[in-house]
Amino acid sequence: MDLTGKVVVVTGAARGQGAAEVSALRAAGATVVATDVLPFDGRHLDVTSAEEWAALAASLGEEHGEVHALVNNAGVAARERLPDVSLDAWQQTFDINVTGPMLGIQALVPLMPPGSSIVNICSVAAVSGHAAAAYTASKWALRGLTRSAALELGSTRGIRVNAVMPGLVDTPLMETAPDAFFDAALAEIPLGRVGRPADIAPTVVFLCSDDSSYYNGAELVVDGGLTAHVSHKRIADATRRR
């Protein structure tokens, strides 16, 4: 998977999966533009801001001329459960997890030649029901956006759009999860371990490469077998407040 000569934009790149994706993409030869709203050695980008996306696109156009891949990795893990979901948490989750990728697509597609790739980092929460209502709904929405974009951009521009569905991965987002969630989920993973960011990154590199040139609208689950047997009810039961 040689990405030499390709310019790749990664959101949410300051830590966790995003940082691992940046490292793997650079190791494959890509010029990676790492972005995040958090302070780090990269470009600042609030994915919910159309103005900041427009400024990034203008800068990339001047600096590189083209963008060959966009990895929509930025996301938040909203854990509120029904019926106790606040409107603010619901809106923020959708702003970051769904509107952010949509704005990124709108801003960068004009810079992307045929054969370019968009990778949306989704979740196994989008292949079944999950107790975290806003998070689950947002990832289902991102899954739908991926399919719609694959249809539209594949037909009109030759741009591929695919989704990666990680399972339980040890990232800073997991720090807010209760121990009961972690323990219940781990017990349901056939491989018997939690995923690492480095387990997800190679799939992202593949989807950004020309080796995946016929992948479009695909949903690649990377979860150690968690969703092979549909386990979310046990996890929900284990973490429900008594």
Side-chain angles (χ1 to χ4, degrees):
M1 293 184 288
D2 183 8
L3 300 185
T4 301
K6 293 187 182 294
V7 177
V8 183
V9 175
V10 180
T11 68
R15 59 184 188 172
Q17 280 183 197
E21 291 156 9
V22 169
S23 295
L25 289 162
R26 285 175 174 161
T31 297
V32 181
V33 180
T35 72
D36 207 304
V37 70
L38 298 174
F40 82 121
D41 186 20
R43 299 197 187 193
H44 180 276
L45 175 67
D46 177 354
V47 297
T48 70
S49 170
E51 292 76 18
E52 291 196 20
W53 273 113
L56 176 63
S59 174
L60 293 172
E62 293 178 2
E63 186 175 352
H64 301 289
E66 294 182 333
V67 172
H68 305 96
L70 165 63
V71 182
N72 283 311
N73 174 81
V76 291
R79 303 194 186 281
E80 292 180 338
R81 303 166 71 142
L82 292 170
D84 304 314
V85 179
S86 69
L87 183 58
D88 286 345
W90 179 273
Q91 189 63 60
Q92 181 190 46
T93 303
F94 271 78
D95 285 348
I96 295 172
N97 291 0
V98 188
T99 305
M102 187 273 293
L103 291 173
I105 291 170
Q106 287 184 321
L108 298 191
V109 156
L111 296 174
M112 302 178 82
S116 294
S117 173
I118 296 170
V119 182
N120 292 327
I121 305 300
C122 205
S123 169
V124 293
V127 298
S128 61
H130 193 279
Y135 179 77
T136 301
S138 72
K139 291 301 186 178
W140 276 90
L142 182 58
R143 183 182 181 187
L145 176 63
T146 300
R147 291 194 175 195
S148 180
L151 168 66
E152 188 69 19
L153 300 181
S155 298
T156 62
R157 293 178 176 268
I159 296 172
R160 301 175 291 108
V161 188
N162 297 289
V164 177
M165 312 290 209
L168 185 67
V169 180
D170 188 11
T171 71
L173 291 182
M174 285 303 302
E175 294 173 358
T176 60
D179 292 340
F181 172 87
F182 205 86
D183 295 341
L186 182 59
E188 297 295 334
I189 300 173
L191 287 184
R193 70 170 178 87
V194 173
R196 300 176 295 263
D199 293 322
I200 311 302
T203 301
V204 175
V205 174
F206 168 68
L207 290 175
C208 291
S209 76
D210 293 337
D211 293 331
S212 61
S213 63
Y214 202 55
Y215 282 70
N216 189 39
E219 299 163 350
L220 303 185
V221 176
V222 189
D223 69 352
L226 176 63
T227 54
H229 59 101
V230 188
S231 61
H232 288 304
K233 183 179 183 301
R234 290 186 184 182
I235 297 171
D237 290 345
T239 58
R240 185 174 292 112
R241 290 182 180 178
R242 305 300 180 187

